[in-house]
Amino acid sequence: MLQALPRLNRAVGRIRCVGAHVTRMARNGSGSSAEDGGAVTAAILIIGDEILKGHTTDTNSAFLCQGLRKLGVAVQRITVVPDVREVIAEEVARLSPSVTHLITSGGIGPTHDDVTFESVAMAFGEGLRAHPELTRLLEKYFGEVDPKSATIKLAMVPESAKLNHGTDPKTGQQLRYPLVSVRNVYIFPGIPSLLERAFDSLAHLFAGSGTTFHTREVFVNADEADIAPVLSRLQADWGKRVALGSYPDWLSNYHRVRLVLDSDSVEEVERARAQVEEKLPKGSIVRLITDPVSIVTEEVYSLSNSRSPLGEKVAAALRTIETALDQYSANEICVGFNGGKDCTALLHLYYAALKRHHPDSKDRVKALYIRIMSPFPEMERFLQDTIKRYDLDLVSVEGSIRQALSEVQEKRPELRAVLMGTRRTDPYSRTLAPFSPTDQGWPDYMRVNPLLDWTYHDIWSFLRTLYVPYCILYDKGYTSLGSMDNTFRNPSLKVVDGRGVTRYRPAYQLEKEEEERNSRA
């Protein structure tokens, strides 16, 4: 078949010629393997102009790092290269002898820029050949394959290539297309879904080191510069037994630094965590719940049964929501959500009640978002994060509330009730009841108001007790959020420190509730 491919013959010749140089690089390297008594290591080579140009976001690196680490494999390096044969070949020749496994991603396909097979052959001074099994697979899938067609590139692999047949761990079925490897180089597709499926089906190729990595996180509500000396001393004491990473987080509502402790010894990592918590400033450690949504029902109902003042408010709100769920199906209810603190608390409450009321339901929570002019970028980002966090089915409309509800009636005629985060201290809300139909002349909806008797401080106590994420603007001095045109920091939260620098305390530290709307024009 190769004789029928003059274009690929020329490529083979070029590969052999250039490969002679890079092969010397591979032979001069010193490998790293478990058999030599060292740790099992890996390098990841991401191939694609689209990554370097920003046309595509690389998610394969993160997936591979996480998957390999679970298997006890330490990733030493991630490199991104363009679709250039010589560049790819040089990286393969350089990385292959330095690690146990080299994983490539991308550059497999029928187009002109799919050059990974050719490049790996070049790295090891090999030619290409049409692999009989791959050729049969192509013919089975595409029918008879013209030797001059672009499709045949999928079967043209390095001469020493090995085919690795994976088994789907969920179905037990063998995957249709095998993974090609050459020596310790495993050539994965670049499409994330295909790469992930192939990796999961062939995890045994990379397992077996006997190493298990243990990771612990410590969340700290202190400036990184203030705790840096303590961290440096601790790392020096631990040496290589425990690795300590320090990562500032400017978008968290509850901590400013995330510390990550890593070791192959569970005893060492636990001892290190205890030392960190002992040495850091008193009161700076945050016992953060990193995924409050996953335990929302348990946490919210536990709070409602606590008999505390806040627990009583939570219990009353849940009774209103549960009544709504008795009167309407989940498909007929949506939550009014604009990213503010009140509707964030309401969404968390409703999600807890819904999951308890319909534990087996796969229906997504419907949320009504009325777009405004000139929204804060931080609010837009929080909105997108919240959609992902609660897997919301967002109904997005614009205009006045009356216009928005009319549009909702047209878009989602099945909706009959809207949960609102209204409190009695809000404008025009003093006489509302927990269940209040819309006024005459308005689109016909039932407004459900579970938070009517909550105070400003109740909202903040609820959110921060359960570590519910909220818009970061509230940590920057804003207490009531609208658009960028009518919202500013609350003067009541303004402070001037000893150096004369002006800053603003977070919204939850506002003392007088009647000053809440002082941040709105």
Side-chain angles (χ1 to χ4, degrees):
M1 179 180 288
L2 202 58
Q3 286 76 10
L5 300 171
R7 180 167 54 84
L8 284 172
N9 264 330
R10 289 194 295 272
V12 170
R14 184 170 63 254
I15 288 168
R16 290 187 186 279
C17 181
V18 179
H21 166 68
V22 292
T23 301
R24 286 193 293 271
M25 296 173 56
R27 289 172 178 168
N28 290 336
S30 57
S32 172
S33 67
E35 288 79 5
D36 295 333
V40 177
T41 59
I44 299 170
L45 182 60
I46 304 297
I47 299 165
D49 290 346
E50 67 275 16
I51 303 296
L52 294 172
K53 293 177 180 178
H55 297 163
T56 301
T57 300
D58 169 37
T59 60
N60 289 336
S61 296
F63 172 83
L64 289 169
C65 286
Q66 293 167 3
L68 289 166
R69 194 151 190 84
K70 289 178 182 177
L71 297 172
V73 180
V75 176
Q76 302 292 300
R77 186 180 299 273
I78 300 173
T79 303
V80 183
V81 294
D83 299 308
V84 178
R85 294 177 183 84
E86 291 76 13
V87 175
I88 299 169
E90 187 170 348
E91 281 300 305
V92 170
R94 184 173 66 87
L95 293 172
S96 172
S98 69
V99 291
T100 314
H101 309 295
L102 172 57
I103 293 177
T104 73
S105 165
I108 301 174
T111 62
H112 66 282
D113 55 354
D114 293 315
V115 295
T116 301
F117 287 151
E118 299 171 41
S119 304
V120 173
M122 182 185 295
F124 296 117
E126 298 183 10
L128 295 173
R129 71 183 179 107
H131 196 288
E133 183 176 341
L134 294 179
T135 302
R136 286 193 297 272
L137 280 171
L138 291 179
E139 291 174 345
K140 183 177 180 180
Y141 190 77
F142 295 104
E144 186 175 352
V145 178
D146 185 343
K148 297 181 180 179
S149 70
T151 306
I152 197 64
K153 283 189 69 174
L154 292 166
M156 300 298 296
V157 295
E159 291 170 337
S160 66
K162 176 183 176 183
L163 302 187
N164 303 276
H165 295 274
T167 300
D168 189 322
K170 296 179 180 178
T171 66
Q173 299 295 314
Q174 182 173 293
L175 298 191
R176 177 183 300 171
Y177 200 86
L179 182 79
V180 176
S181 64
V182 180
R183 304 189 192 185
N184 69 333
V185 181
Y186 296 87
I187 306 170
F188 281 82
I191 299 173
S193 60
L194 298 181
L195 177 141
E196 292 169 15
R197 191 179 183 201
F199 182 85
D200 289 341
S201 72
L202 292 165
H204 62 276
L205 294 177
F206 312 104
S209 68
T211 300
T212 301
F213 294 108
H214 304 277
T215 300
R216 300 292 184 270
E217 292 181 320
V218 178
F219 298 93
V220 187
N221 192 24
D223 288 335
E224 190 178 37
D226 294 337
I227 63 175
V230 174
L231 302 182
S232 297
R233 288 194 296 271
L234 288 171
Q235 183 64 86
D237 291 343
W238 298 332
K240 294 183 178 180
R241 301 191 310 277
V242 179
L244 170 61
S246 177
Y247 310 102
D249 191 337
W250 304 106
L251 298 179
S252 171
N253 304 121
Y254 301 101
H255 68 279
R256 281 176 274 176
V257 180
R258 178 173 66 99
L259 303 178
V260 179
L261 300 161
D262 205 60
S263 176
D264 58 6
S265 165
V266 66
E267 292 81 10
E268 290 285 0
V269 78
E270 290 290 1
R271 187 180 302 114
R273 178 167 64 177
Q275 289 179 312
V276 166
E277 294 181 354
E278 177 187 353
K279 298 296 183 181
L280 288 180
K282 186 177 181 180
S284 65
I285 302 298
V286 178
R287 307 298 180 185
L288 185 66
I289 298 173
T290 56
D291 185 10
V293 176
S294 66
I295 55 173
V296 58
T297 300
E298 177 185 351
E299 291 290 299
V300 168
Y301 277 89
S302 176
L303 179 57
S304 74
N305 294 325
S306 66
R307 297 185 179 181
S308 66
L310 177 61
E312 294 296 332
K313 295 285 183 73
V314 171
L318 289 172
R319 285 194 293 271
T320 299
I321 295 171
E322 288 165 349
T323 299
L325 287 169
D326 288 335
Q327 295 180 3
Y328 304 96
S329 70
N331 196 46
E332 296 173 321
I333 300 175
C334 70
V335 181
F337 187 78
N338 64 1
K341 60 187 182 300
D342 301 313
C343 58
T344 299
L346 175 62
L347 174 61
H348 204 66
L349 284 163
Y350 176 63
Y351 195 87
L354 182 65
K355 293 302 178 184
R356 189 182 199 191
H357 206 272
H358 300 292
D360 299 322
S361 174
K362 302 299 182 182
D363 291 336
R364 299 165 65 196
V365 172
K366 293 179 174 62
L368 171 61
Y369 173 56
I370 302 177
R371 293 190 299 270
I372 60 174
M373 298 293 291
S374 305
F376 283 92
E378 293 90 341
M379 181 62 80
E380 292 284 281
R381 182 169 57 242
F382 174 69
L383 176 67
Q384 295 304 315
D385 290 343
T386 303
I387 291 172
K388 295 177 183 178
R389 188 174 293 119
Y390 294 90
D391 189 27
L392 298 180
D393 176 8
L394 193 72
V395 184
S396 183
V397 294
E398 57 186 19
S400 66
I401 295 179
R402 181 183 294 191
Q403 291 170 334
L405 291 178
S406 296
E407 187 177 344
V408 171
Q409 273 192 328
E410 295 179 6
K411 286 185 173 181
R412 299 293 182 92
E414 75 278 6
L415 292 175
R416 297 174 57 202
V418 182
L419 272 68
M420 310 290 289
T422 306
R423 291 181 283 123
R424 292 199 189 280
T425 53
D426 292 337
Y428 316 111
S429 302
R430 189 167 299 277
T431 61
L432 286 176
F435 289 83
S436 298
T438 49
D439 296 337
Q440 188 175 2
W442 281 58
D444 186 19
Y445 285 102
M446 179 60 73
R447 291 174 293 172
V448 184
N449 306 300
L451 305 181
L452 280 178
D453 296 320
W454 286 43
T455 66
Y456 176 87
H457 289 142
D458 288 335
I459 295 293
W460 282 116
S461 181
F462 176 79
L463 293 174
R464 293 190 61 82
T465 295
L466 299 183
Y467 294 102
V468 180
Y470 54 84
C471 182
I472 196 66
L473 290 171
Y474 288 115
D475 289 333
K476 298 180 179 181
Y478 296 87
T479 53
S480 179
L481 296 176
S483 72
M484 294 179 65
D485 299 327
N486 64 6
T487 308
F488 47 86
R489 290 180 172 88
N490 194 320
S492 301
L493 294 172
K494 182 179 178 179
V495 294
V496 180
D497 64 20
R499 297 170 297 172
V501 177
T502 299
R503 62 181 183 86
Y504 287 82
R505 292 180 291 127
Y508 61 85
Q509 292 185 3
L510 183 70
E511 296 175 3
K512 298 179 180 179
E513 295 200 2
E514 61 270 18
E515 297 177 343
E516 173 188 355
R517 298 187 69 84
N518 286 358
S519 63
R520 297 284 284 272

